[in-house]
Amino acid sequence: MKRLTEHPKWRDWRWQMRNRVHTEEGLEEWLSPSATERRGIRETEGVFRWNITPYYASLMDPEDPACPIRRQVVPTAEELQPDLVGDIDPLGEVAHSPVKNLIHNYEDRVAFCVTAECAIYCRYCLRKRMVGDADFFLRKGELQDAIDYVEAHPEIRDVLLTGGDPLTFNEANLEWLLSRLRAIAHVEIIRIGSRMPVKLPYRITDELCEMLQQYHPLWLNTHFNHPREVTEDARMAIDRLLRAGIPVGNQTVLLRGINDNVRVMRKLNEKLVAARVRPYYLYQAQLIGGTAHLRTPIEHGMAITEALRGRTSGFAIPTYVLDTPLGKVPLNRSYVEGRAGDYVVMRTYSSERWAEPNPLPDGFQSAVKLPEIDFPADARTIETNTSFVPLPLAPHYA
Ligand SMILES: *Cc1c(COP(=O)(O)O)cnc(C)c1O
């Protein structure tokens, strides 16, 4: 099973990209899929894509279908359960995009989805239906349109490159993009959001880092979810980024059965700070169709973050947030106002109100109990839909 790890090209990121696992037969080289995994693979075909780098596959526990690595990437039949919200775009990203794939939701900064390609397709992905999708790829002229937009808006001082994963670009394309953004005087910082240190650490080559460091100030946020992902190879990738002067932060998604307990969350963040990665955000999982089985009650996430306070280094504690169309909201007692039945009501940074659908499972117990309130008349929310019928996928980009 593990003989692939001896392959002479194992550390070649392009070889890893070419040899990703995305079929039942391919997965069987690593493990014997469980019944729910086999059904997931067959029944989600044409609905949700999946793709696993051999490196990340090598971290899976072949004996344990509940393995936190495996659950992040192998489809299961749970993805086709009726979901509370079948929205493919709960953050209204399309509405906030003045040009294709550029989201201008906060005045001074933009998120720019430069590609739809990613090295692995996480089961809980915010852009689960977009990743790998031909409709979300940008041609060079469309990238240029986004750059022109940034140039025409002097209030934009912070550009976040995301996707997909921007580091799936080759050096030449990435450098083309970075050099054009750097040429815009009002762009103070450029940030890259990339999961490469986690899912394909061999992408972080010396050649890449030498190129990146020409475009400072550059920050990188990566995305570790579980302490088992913090491997020696991952630490080496982080070290190369840090030596190039790029501060590395981390964003975790709170995922049921994967990292939703104090012990795992503390271990993860302590391993990250030991690798000199600063935990930044812990995200509440979004209401993306096909991910209900991975979502947690908000009270549960609040209880975890409250349990970390005072019990580990202050900078090992990320800010627990929910992303909403009204901006990111810290999920703590000063922003969260209470629970109105199946909704958690919170105040946003601009003092609007957001009500997040977040029903409690039967018998749910938590150290955090929110005040019971009435649904405020001025709260915005998203329309829930319990009969999510996934549409067929657009063609894969390849
Ligand atoms: C998260 C996000 C950002 C960056 O937000 P920070 O809180 O500054 O990290 C920028 N734009 C959009 C649309 C975002 O969702």
Side-chain angles (χ1 to χ4, degrees):
M1 243 177 213
K2 294 284 162 73
R3 62 188 187 281
L4 251 189
T5 60
E6 313 289 319
H7 192 283
K9 293 206 155 174
W10 181 257
R11 287 167 183 274
D12 173 340
W13 74 274
R14 293 170 196 282
W15 179 89
Q16 288 270 341
M17 289 293 282
R18 279 195 304 274
N19 287 281
R20 286 179 292 173
V21 178
H22 55 91
T23 61
E24 199 170 333
E25 302 71 58
L27 186 63
E28 280 169 349
E29 290 184 30
W30 293 97
L31 49 83
S32 169
S34 68
T36 169
E37 288 170 335
R38 284 193 197 279
R39 273 189 53 216
I41 291 166
R42 288 171 197 169
E43 293 175 17
T44 63
E45 197 183 337
V47 180
F48 301 123
R49 299 183 180 85
W50 65 291
N51 228 335
I52 313 172
T53 56
Y55 163 81
Y56 200 74
S58 76
L59 307 183
M60 298 187 296
D61 183 341
E63 310 302 331
D64 180 13
C67 162
I69 307 294
R70 204 161 147 175
R71 289 201 68 212
Q72 289 184 56
V73 288
V74 178
T76 65
E78 293 163 302
E79 294 180 33
L80 291 169
Q81 284 169 8
D83 197 351
L84 177 69
V85 169
D87 207 318
I88 63 164
D89 185 20
L91 298 178
E93 292 188 328
V94 173
H96 286 116
S97 298
V99 294
K100 186 175 168 185
N101 289 20
L102 185 108
I103 310 154
H104 196 179
N105 199 359
Y106 301 99
E107 178 164 353
D108 71 331
R109 55 208 193 277
V110 290
F112 179 14
C113 300
V114 298
T115 177
E117 182 55 314
C118 217
I120 60 177
Y121 300 167
C122 305
R123 304 328 296 156
Y124 54 87
C125 181
L126 167 63
R127 306 197 178 96
K128 185 170 170 119
R129 297 258 310 159
M130 302 167 198
V131 70
D133 193 312
D135 290 347
F136 288 92
F137 275 83
L138 293 176
R139 279 166 267 277
K140 208 151 196 176
E142 292 170 323
L143 286 169
Q144 185 66 54
D145 291 344
I147 294 164
D148 292 345
Y149 179 89
V150 173
E151 185 156 30
H153 288 79
E155 71 276 19
I156 299 172
R157 43 163 286 284
D158 174 356
V159 177
L160 162 59
L161 304 180
T162 180
D165 194 317
L167 297 186
T168 55
F169 277 8
N170 64 28
E171 268 76 344
N173 287 339
L174 200 55
E175 184 157 22
W176 177 85
L177 185 63
L178 289 171
S179 61
R180 268 157 188 76
L181 288 169
R182 204 19 101 220
I184 302 172
H186 58 263
V187 174
E188 291 171 12
I189 59 169
I190 301 174
R191 320 188 222 180
I192 295 176
S194 172
R195 211 182 178 199
M196 285 295 186
V198 184
K199 62 203 177 184
L200 183 40
Y202 315 129
R203 174 64 188 102
I204 313 299
T205 58
D206 289 333
E207 185 197 2
L208 174 71
C209 293
E210 270 162 37
M211 184 276 284
L212 292 177
Q213 69 186 1
Q214 325 268 326
Y215 299 97
H216 274 312
L218 190 68
W219 294 59
L220 186 139
N221 264 338
T222 189
H223 172 29
F224 287 90
N225 282 331
H226 194 276
R228 276 195 222 165
E229 295 169 335
V230 190
T231 64
E232 191 50 35
D233 285 335
R235 274 193 291 266
M236 278 160 44
I238 290 160
D239 189 59
R240 281 193 284 274
L241 290 164
L242 293 171
R243 280 168 197 269
I246 303 168
V248 181
N250 188 67
Q251 312 193 152
T252 294
V253 179
L254 182 62
L255 296 166
R256 187 153 108 211
I258 292 176
N259 60 14
D260 63 337
N261 70 69
V262 177
R263 187 182 46 79
V264 169
M265 202 52 82
R266 179 172 165 178
K267 180 105 189 258
L268 168 64
N269 288 301
E270 290 177 351
K271 282 183 93 167
L272 288 172
V273 297
R276 291 176 289 150
V277 175
R278 170 70 157 102
Y280 180 46
Y281 283 146
L282 170 64
Y283 280 100
Q284 171 64 20
Q286 291 287 332
L287 296 169
I288 301 294
T291 66
H293 59 294
L294 296 170
R295 249 173 259 143
T296 55
I298 286 172
E299 286 90 334
H300 187 57
M302 291 174 69
I304 292 172
T305 41
E306 290 189 6
L308 293 175
R309 181 61 57 193
R311 298 190 176 87
T312 189
S313 317
F315 60 80
I317 307 176
T319 306
Y320 179 38
V321 294
L322 172 70
D323 207 354
T324 79
L326 307 175
K328 291 180 178 67
V329 179
L331 293 172
N332 62 40
R333 294 180 199 248
S334 67
Y335 284 87
V336 175
E337 296 179 327
R339 175 170 277 283
D342 286 344
Y343 295 83
V344 173
V345 177
M346 59 199 76
R347 175 173 68 83
T348 70
Y349 75 93
S350 55
S351 294
E352 295 173 282
R353 280 212 171 79
W354 178 257
E356 178 73 0
N358 184 250
L360 296 178
D362 290 340
F364 174 76
Q365 296 286 331
S366 170
V368 169
K369 179 122 181 59
L370 296 174
E372 304 265 353
I373 59 173
D374 292 332
F375 193 100
D378 64 349
R380 284 183 50 193
T381 185
I382 36 178
E383 209 132 301
T384 54
N385 163 18
T386 47
S387 57
F388 172 53
V389 182
L391 304 165
L393 287 172
H396 194 267
Y397 73 99

